[in-house]
Amino acid sequence: MFHKGLKFSIYFSLVSSWTPWVTAITIPTTAPSTASTIDSSQVAVSLEFFAFPGYTELVSTGTCLANLQSLRGAPVAVRIGGTTQDRATYDSTLATPVSYTVASPTDAPTSLTFGPSFFTLAASDLKGNVTIGLNRQLNNQANTLSAAVQAKNSMPNLYAIELGNEPDLYASTSPIVPSSGWSQTADAASEKSWFTAIAPSVGNMFQAAVYLSWRTAATIPLLGTSINNVRSVSEHSYPQSACNGASTNLQTLMSHSGIVSYTAGFKADAASAHSAGVRYFLGETNSATCGGGGISPTFGAALWIVDYVLQGALNGVERSYFHQGTIGDCQYCWWGRFTTGAPFYGAYFVSAFLGTDGAKLEMLDDGTGAIASYVIFNSAGAPVRLLIYNSNYYDGTGTRSSTSVSFSGGGVPASGTVTALRLTGPNATSRVDEGGIVTIGGGVTFDGDCNVVGSETRENVVVSGGALTVNVQASEALIVFL
Ligand SMILES: *[C@@H]1O[C@H](CO)[C@@H](O)[C@H](O)[C@H]1NC(C)=O
Ligand SMILES: *[C@@H]1O[C@H](CO)[C@@H](O)[C@H](O)[C@H]1NC(C)=O
């Protein structure tokens, strides 16, 4: 949110000849009432249903989640679900977590079964809250009920259960679709009747809606008293589409003003969920649908994650669950059968900004320009860190521009130095999996198992006359520690 009390002072900078003036932004001395609350798992992870057991076999899954946990001081919430949850049938006699056959190892199955060890694996391998997506599309309520009971009995970390994935996309031939046809109203009636049938066996722990295109606010009143069975409401969000070869645009994806206007679309849905007493999550999200496009594995997508997580929070999104799809065929995945990808660097960096003590977030720019500025406050309301994101697009051609941003006010000492941590890469199109070297603090990268390699160096930022100035290049972000 734009801080109402901003005071601007404009002066000529003698050091930065390419930016003839800089604007000093006044940091509030204490968290304003408009600041947004930060969840301990604001950055969360979604794992495609059929691929979940495979993810537990990758060393990088545990390491990446542990890295984010150590930055936030709380385990990462995980949702297991996606398209294949609505193709899955529970088999209480199955000895393996999942069973399916596919023509090629990178295909997603069109049908699968899963057994009790699916849930014991989720209990043993995942440390944070787990949301499990079960099937509604096949209209086998007795089967879904037995799976839900098994999940409840074997998972102390079970947070919520979804019944169906993206019902707005159900085909008219789906078994759940009645002869009278499908609509958001019909879906809400179906959700309500399933919640009512299953809640007595597992409790009031459903994640409702799970929509890609329908808006969740319209469903909440249609659920009536069944909202009492609901713990959270989920919207799926992909700013771009890569389905059927659709073209994607990295500059648009990572534009700060573009991210501000896109995420504003969640504000009313979040407000309606909160006024109904339930939580509001982007329960599945990533850069582009259908596993991602060419923009998805880039450094620009890492920068998008930083800004998108923070803008989501400002609009009432309590967690953004970044989807990890088919292992080995997934452009937007953070890890998998390739080295730790550039997008993970964004997840890591924004988690470092939120930190173990980040409680309230405020935006310090007006959301219309290319430069984003944020301040995070601790639970005592004191400003602890700034984040500056220069979303000007640098694709490697021409000269890389740089912008100076000055801050004064809350948390800025009268003089001396503070430190800063930079997230940078050769250019927005750089891909770690193609040899591009993205770094945090000059020296930190991740190996293929998501282990931190190298060490962070914090830059010194001189404070003079109660103000500090930082330079951030196009397609780069910086954290300032106050
Ligand atoms: C997980 O969810 C429970 C509610 O079921 C909550 O009390 C707990 O704090 C959550 N844990 C984390 C780490 O978010
Ligand atoms: C962008 O960076 C990559 C290295 O990650 C490099 O291969 C590529 O050539 C750069 N693009 C341009 C246009 O220089």
Side-chain angles (χ1 to χ4, degrees):
M1 254 142 278
F2 187 74
H3 183 60
K4 303 291 186 302
L6 278 189
K7 283 191 219 99
F8 290 95
S9 63
I10 295 174
Y11 57 90
F12 285 93
S13 163
L14 301 174
V15 285
S16 34
S17 55
W18 61 92
T19 43
W21 53 270
V22 289
T23 308
I25 296 173
T26 304
I27 305 160
T29 52
T30 185
S33 59
T34 51
S36 299
T37 301
I38 294 300
D39 187 81
S40 67
S41 188
Q42 194 74 43
V43 175
V45 163
S46 168
L47 301 174
E48 180 61 41
F49 190 90
F50 85 96
F52 159 64
Y55 272 106
T56 65
E57 288 166 13
L58 298 175
V59 173
S60 44
T61 301
T63 322
C64 279
L65 293 176
N67 281 336
L68 298 180
Q69 173 172 348
S70 74
L71 292 167
R72 296 300 321 280
V76 177
V78 174
R79 173 257 190 175
I80 301 168
T83 310
T84 54
Q85 84 187 57
D86 267 331
R87 299 174 183 175
T89 299
Y90 182 60
D91 176 356
S92 64
T93 67
L94 189 70
T96 55
V98 278
S99 176
Y100 56 84
T101 41
V102 285
S104 141
T106 56
D107 283 351
T110 52
S111 143
L112 67 150
T113 55
F114 61 106
S117 57
F118 190 93
F119 301 121
T120 47
L121 201 53
S124 63
D125 281 41
L126 300 173
K127 302 196 164 44
N129 284 174
V130 179
T131 296
I132 297 272
L134 297 177
N135 196 325
R136 185 160 50 103
Q137 191 264 141
L138 290 176
N139 200 20
N140 187 345
Q141 193 179 88
N143 185 265
T144 292
L145 172 63
S146 62
V149 168
Q150 186 67 32
K152 172 76 180 172
N153 290 343
S154 42
M155 292 177 60
N157 54 350
L158 183 64
Y159 179 78
I161 294 171
E162 295 177 352
L163 300 176
N165 176 72
E166 300 176 0
D168 40 334
L169 301 187
Y170 285 170
S172 57
T173 52
S174 278
I176 192 71
V177 171
S179 53
S180 52
W182 198 237
S183 63
Q184 188 165 358
T185 306
D187 172 70
S190 164
E191 286 194 47
K192 182 177 179 175
S193 105
W194 281 56
F195 294 157
T196 307
I198 298 175
S201 304
V202 299
N204 298 322
M205 54 150 58
F206 296 103
Q207 173 146 288
V210 197
Y211 296 153
L212 181 64
S213 55
W214 292 339
R215 303 320 301 231
T216 61
T219 286
I220 288 176
L222 298 172
L223 293 176
T225 53
S226 246
I227 193 68
N228 298 326
N229 304 133
V230 173
R231 176 166 268 168
S232 52
V233 160
S234 163
E235 184 84 46
H236 290 183
S237 164
Y238 291 86
Q240 296 193 22
S241 171
C243 298
N244 307 314
S247 69
T248 51
N249 186 299
L250 183 58
Q251 185 169 6
T252 305
L253 181 78
M254 59 185 274
S255 152
H256 174 55
S257 56
I259 293 167
V260 168
S261 48
Y262 178 84
T263 52
F266 300 120
K267 199 179 178 83
D269 289 316
S272 91
H274 295 153
S275 58
V278 298
R279 307 196 73 197
Y280 182 77
F281 301 142
L282 298 185
E284 185 189 307
T285 190
N286 222 316
S287 47
T289 48
C290 291
I295 59 171
S296 300
T298 66
F299 175 55
L303 294 166
W304 165 73
I305 288 169
V306 172
D307 207 32
Y308 177 73
V309 164
L310 300 178
Q311 286 301 321
L314 292 172
N315 284 289
V317 173
E318 295 170 86
R319 292 177 186 165
S320 293
Y321 288 81
F322 288 86
H323 197 55
Q324 316 293 312
T326 308
I327 301 167
D329 184 22
C330 183
Q331 296 281 298
Y332 52 53
C333 282
W334 292 352
W335 68 86
R337 288 199 195 109
F338 65 108
T339 194
T340 306
F344 182 73
Y345 290 67
Y348 188 93
F349 192 75
V350 73
S351 297
F353 171 61
L354 298 173
T356 55
D357 58 349
K360 294 275 181 179
L361 177 73
E362 183 84 347
M363 177 160 86
L364 296 172
D365 62 293
D366 69 5
T368 64
I371 314 296
S373 300
Y374 300 94
V375 56
I376 185 101
F377 301 90
N378 64 19
S379 58
V384 285
R385 286 174 294 282
L386 304 172
L387 186 143
I388 303 95
Y389 167 42
N390 183 342
S391 78
N392 283 304
Y393 185 62
Y394 177 63
D395 67 0
T397 57
T399 307
R400 193 172 196 168
S401 65
S402 183
T403 299
S404 295
V405 191
S406 295
F407 298 90
S408 62
V412 180
S415 62
T417 57
V418 295
T419 60
L421 191 69
R422 195 172 298 267
L423 169 64
T424 195
N427 62 67
T429 72
S430 294
R431 291 174 56 158
V432 173
D433 60 322
E434 291 182 348
I437 299 175
V438 174
T439 57
I440 295 169
V444 161
T445 60
F446 301 92
D447 70 13
D449 287 339
C450 211
N451 295 302
V452 172
V453 176
S455 57
E456 274 177 16
T457 305
R458 296 221 193 142
E459 301 168 22
N460 286 323
V461 180
V462 174
V463 185
S464 166
L468 62 88
T469 300
V470 293
N471 293 314
V472 185
Q473 295 188 101
S475 302
E476 198 177 75
L478 186 79
I479 297 169
V480 177
F481 297 81
L482 296 172

